[in-house]
Structure formats: structure tokens, C-alpha cells
Amino acid sequence: MPLNGSDLDLSASQPQLTTSRSTRLGLLKLMYLSREGDRREGVLMRQGRGWFQVSGTGHEALGALSMAMEQGDYLFSHYRDRALLLARGMTNYELALAYFGKRNSSSAGRQMPAHASCPKRKIWTALTPTGASMLPACGVAWGMKLEQKDSVVVATIGDASTRQGEFFEAVAFAVERKLPVVFVVEDNGYGISTRTDRMNPLRLKLIHEDVGITTLDARNPENILAAAGPALAKARQGHGPTILHCELDRLCSHTSSDDHRIYRVEEELAEIERRDPIDLVAAELIANGELTPEQWQELREEIDRTVDEEYALAERAPDPSPEENADHLFGAPAKTNAPSMEGDQKWRMVDAVNRVFQEGLENDRRFVFFGEDIEDPKGGVFGITKGLSTAFPDRVFNSPLAEATIAGVAAGLACYGMRPVFEIQFVDFIGPAWNQIAQNLSTIRWRSKGEWTCPAVIYAPYGAYLAGGGNWHSQANEANFAHVPGLRVVVPGTPEDAAGLLWTAMHTDDPTIVLLPKHRLRQHTHVTSPVKPVPFGQAVIRQTGNQVTLVAWGNCLEPASDASAELAGEVSIEIIDLRTIVPWDRETVCRSLEKTGRLVIVQEDVRSCSVGQMIISDLTSCPESWDHFLCPPQLVSREDVPIGFNPICEYSAIPDTERVVAALRKVLEG
């Protein structure tokens, strides 16, 4: 039967959380079970039966944290938290499956060992960059507070990662919102081989003590319990976060790819061995007459046998199938009713977006809006959220000027079960959020084999064609997002499409990037029919023709349309509005190309590694579509140059009517 912390007596008497003999003995068993799993993996590595190991040796006493936690609490774990994972109910066999990367492990072999995930036990899917889990932890804690739950988030992090900006942002956000989160810094003094004593912000007093910092010797589980009890109680009572600064020792190399004997002297290694937490706890129990040496020996032998058996069983378990590698990259298409937005009126895109946001907030309390300056009276720099915070003050909030916070909190809030719709003020400012978007939001479903979902919408005004924006207010960069597996990327070009695509995005279970072309945000357009949800991957033909296929999206629909009008009577042009970048509608483009034999793509993004190049490469590399071409396709694009402030710089860089006309004439000559 698989061993875990639930098999051991880890009960503690409340409210003092003092430990009984059975609890102390249970903790010792838990710690040794964790140690023996690590030892067994080390043996397997030396035998060539495994690819990688992360050991929690020396961190075992942290399993005591679980005694202060309740069933509804969430754990955001560090990769040395083997004992804590066992204490929260994961089994040794499950960890063995993860070590071998097996199909039935918590990630189906997609994550390294020690990167646990279990929604049932509220163990969030772990990240290798440990600092990157702190903001999602705050997102879950914020969800708890919005729902007025008395649950708590425990988020553990290595001491080296506390120098990452996202850790500081998480602490700041938790303090600002008085979130029910306890940050546990596992300070073993090293970041691989680098000493952290002169880098750790807690040792350097870079975080104000008013945050609530408790420093403790975490080699002793009694110390951990004494500190964790008040910290979690404080969080449950609505008094905000605490940082538990846990001093302990890493009794092993950083990973199986490292050898700490290269950078740690023999005297240091001997000293930390004398502080082995398992030896200390066992010696205390024996000295107190609560355990005999013979009983301790029998206990270890029993656990040794069970661990060996379970690792042998796990090694024989099925491996992942190559055919399943793309499973759980995306969920099923969204199914939703149409928003109640009538047609036959003049509309601006900004009004359509505002109205669809309002309807979402009216109909589903899970929607939460967050972004820089989105509250009234400003309602966002483009007025997209005007009036929403007045009507829904409990779910529309200004964010700090911190894009990583916006994206990271979105990830946690979405995994918790809310539906965040978060604004990046301009897509040009996406850089600080990139770690969360590319490494976290986009991978959550895939790396947890679909057990965690992340229904987050990140929207941003984007693009040029408004003079004076300069380099940091005028970028079109959809290819950056399209390159990241697991993200849906859409670029609406009309008010009804903006509403329809956003409505679909707001009801899908995948992270979606919605890029709103700001040149078209305030253009008045006559909308003829009621707004309907727009399925992802479905382009629309804006104008039929039979001589040239002209594909565009976003702001570039305008120069495409103007070029077609200039050549009216001279050439029959079919204009396709792609609308969705990921997935893109290959079928519609290919069907048009079959009719016309000529292709021109107009995009605002730079040329190199762009969506336009991707489409051309795809169509020309496939024999079926290649046979349709009568001449080489043409790409009208911004060259590989930033956008300058002076309008001369801007308009000389981006596609215009003249360049589109030239490209159309070129394919007609081919």
C-alpha cells in the first residue's frame, strides 16, 4: 500500500498546536519516508535508471507545516518539499512515478521529478523557477478573500529566488491586499554553488519587518509548528501575510547534475551532517524514552522495504505515448450563448468591448477585472472599462504599475476558479509579464495533463497608425505570443468581432491574448446584425474576389481595403480578415488561394519570424496548397525596425496603401 503522511499520526492539539508523542513519532516516520525516497532515487541515478533527481534531503522537517494547514488550504510547493508533499497526502508511489516520468504521474512525464501537482489535495502545479509561483499564489489567496473564505495559501520558495523581482511584487501585493498567504523561505544558504548570505533580502533587511517576518531554525519540526500556527491563524483572521524565514541545511548536492563537494569544504559538510534533522529528532525521542533504538531500526527497515517495492513497481509502470504529447495543450472550444448586443447601429470598438465586459460582470460573479488605471473616473487610458468599477466595485480593480503582478495573479485567480479579464495598458509593456505568460499561464494545462486549467483573458491595446506613440506605445507583436504553445491569440478588426471574440475568450478554459488595434478603437462602424460569439480559428471574408487573395488583420485591414478600392475595376480582390492568429484559419485561406492563385499578406508586425512568414511557409511547404500558386506570395510588413516618435519615422515603417498596391500589382505580373 503506498505510503504517505496520511498513514502517519500527524494530529496536533488545537489551538496551541503542541505535539503529542504519537505526533512526534509520526513526524519522524514522515521525515524518514521522505529521506528514504530521496536515497532510493540517488541509488537509481547511480545505476543509470533515471534521468534527473532533485533531493529534499535536509528539508524534511518542513513537513510539520501541514499540521497547521486545513483541508481547504492551498500549497504552492518548492522542489525540495518532498516531506511536505507527503504530509499533504501525496504518496511515495506517486513521487516514484514522477521520478521515472511515467504516464500516470501527476504530469504524465512532462515535468521534472519533485514538481508535484494535485488539484484534489490543492497542491498547485510546481515550477522550476521557484520565484514564479509566488504571484499565482497571491492570485489564489485573492480569490479566497474575494469569496470571503477563511482558507490560506502556503507558498514555499528557495532563498536564492527571493532576489527575483516577482518575489518582491508578490510580497507587496499580499501586503497591499492583506491576502491570506504565508511565504515560506527555505534558506539553506545556497543557490546551487553560490552562497546567498550576502544576497538574501531577508538577511540584508531589504524587506520591512512590519510585513511580518519570523526567522526560525527549521531543522526542528517543533520550531516550524510554533511559527506556522500563528502565521496561518493571522492569515485566516484577515490580517495579511507572514514570511517564515526557515534556516536549514541542504544535505545534498543541488541536483543529480551537481556535486557540492566541489564548492563546499569538508568541515562544512561535516557540520551540516551533525545537524541532520532526522538524527536530531530520533535522538530526542530516544533520549525522552519515547522510542527505543530497536524500534527506530525496525521502523527504518519497514519503510526501506516499502519504498524499494514501490519504486520497483513504478519503474514497470507505463511510459507516456508519443501520440499523446500534444494532449491537453488546449481545452474544448467554448460553448456559450450570444451576448445581448443588438445590431443596426453605429458603434465604436471601445464601446463594444465595454458593453461585453459589462454583460460578463452582470451575468457571472467569477469575472474579475484588474489593470492599470482601469477604475473610474479614468476607466483605462482608452476608456475601455469606463463605468465598470462604479457599477461593480467589488470586481473591477486598479492594479499596481507591475505587469508581472497582473499576469501572475491572473494565473492563480484562474486556477482557483475565477475568470480574470486583465488589462495590459499597452502591449508594448508586456515585457515584465513575459515570464508569467510564456512559462506559466501557457503551460499550466499541459504540464498538469489537464488537471489544472487557466481561463484567463489578457487584453491590450496594440499597434501603430496613431501618430506620436513612439517605440513603447506603437508595437504590433502578435508573433511573440503566437510562438508560445498553449496561448490562443486573437486580433479583432471590427466592433462586433471585438465583442464576439472577447465573449468567446471570456468563456473558454484556456489563456487567451486579445490584441485590440488602437487605431480602430474609436472608429465609428455601422454594425448590421446582433453580436454573436466568434469561434477561434474562423476567419471572415470581408470582400469576395477571384484574382488575388489578400489576408490582413487588425489595423492592416484599413490599408488592405484602401488598396483594393484603388484597384477597383482593375483587379478582383478577395479580402480575408484572419481575426484569430492562434489557431489560424488555414482552410479559408487555402480555399480562396485555390480560386485566385495569388496571395498577398499585410501585417503590422515586423517581418522576421512573423505570422505572415509562418502562413507563407505553411502554404508553400504543403504540396496541396503549393500547387495553387501561380506566382510567389508577397508579404507587406513593417521592416525589422522599431517605431519612432516622429510621425515620419512611424509611417515610413508600417504598411500603407501604396505598398499594398505595389504588392498586388507584383503578384498580378507574376
Side-chain angles (χ1 to χ4, degrees), residues 159-295:
D159 54 312
S161 296
T162 58
R163 279 299 294 270
Q164 294 193 357
E166 290 187 11
F167 174 70
F168 285 87
E169 286 192 34
V171 171
F173 188 67
V175 171
E176 171 203 337
R177 299 271 166 180
K178 287 191 175 180
L179 297 181
V181 59
V182 175
F183 300 105
V184 179
V185 177
E186 303 183 19
D187 185 359
N188 58 37
Y190 280 90
I192 306 184
S193 67
T194 303
R195 291 286 309 181
T196 59
D197 52 348
R198 287 188 278 181
M199 300 177 183
N200 186 328
L202 298 174
R203 295 191 181 280
L204 297 175
K205 310 297 182 185
L206 298 180
I207 299 177
H208 200 282
E209 290 186 0
D210 286 350
V211 171
I213 302 172
T214 301
T215 300
L216 61 141
D217 180 352
R219 303 168 187 88
N220 187 328
E222 299 268 3
N223 295 343
I224 295 169
L225 194 56
L232 270 75
K234 171 188 169 185
R236 287 190 210 288
Q237 294 161 9
H239 300 311
T242 300
I243 299 174
L244 297 183
H245 178 203
C246 297
E247 297 177 335
L248 36 70
D249 298 305
R250 193 188 81 198
L251 301 180
C252 55
S253 299
H254 174 68
T255 66
S256 56
S257 299
D258 174 51
D259 184 352
H260 66 170
R261 293 171 298 181
I262 295 172
Y263 49 84
R264 300 174 87 167
V265 298
E266 288 186 12
E267 291 78 10
E268 180 188 0
L269 292 173
E271 177 61 27
I272 63 174
E273 286 294 335
R274 285 192 289 271
R275 298 197 297 254
D276 187 323
I278 293 178
D279 291 345
L280 294 176
V281 172
E284 182 179 353
L285 287 171
I286 292 171
N288 293 341
E290 300 177 37
L291 179 72
T292 67
E294 293 76 18
Q295 289 172 327

Side-chain angles (χ1 to χ4, degrees), residues 438-495:
Q439 296 204 79
N440 203 351
L441 273 85
S442 60
T443 65
I444 286 170
R445 176 188 285 276
W446 183 83
R447 74 178 191 246
S448 68
K449 63 180 182 185
E451 292 183 345
W452 290 99
T453 58
C454 187
V457 176
I458 305 289
Y459 72 92
Y462 107 127
Y465 296 96
L466 284 179
N471 191 27
W472 289 284
H473 297 85
S474 305
Q475 291 184 50
N477 54 359
E478 62 268 20
N480 291 356
F481 301 103
H483 186 73
V484 178
L487 292 180
R488 298 193 188 273
V489 185
V490 302
V491 186
T494 65

Side-chain angles (χ1 to χ4, degrees), residues 405-444:
T405 296
I406 294 170
V409 167
L413 205 58
C415 288
Y416 180 68
M418 308 296 274
R419 289 195 169 269
V421 183
F422 285 11
E423 178 179 301
I424 300 293
Q425 197 168 76
F426 289 84
V427 78
D428 315 64
F429 304 149
I430 202 69
W434 193 249
N435 181 48
Q436 286 295 332
I437 290 173
Q439 296 204 79
N440 203 351
L441 273 85
S442 60
T443 65
I444 286 170

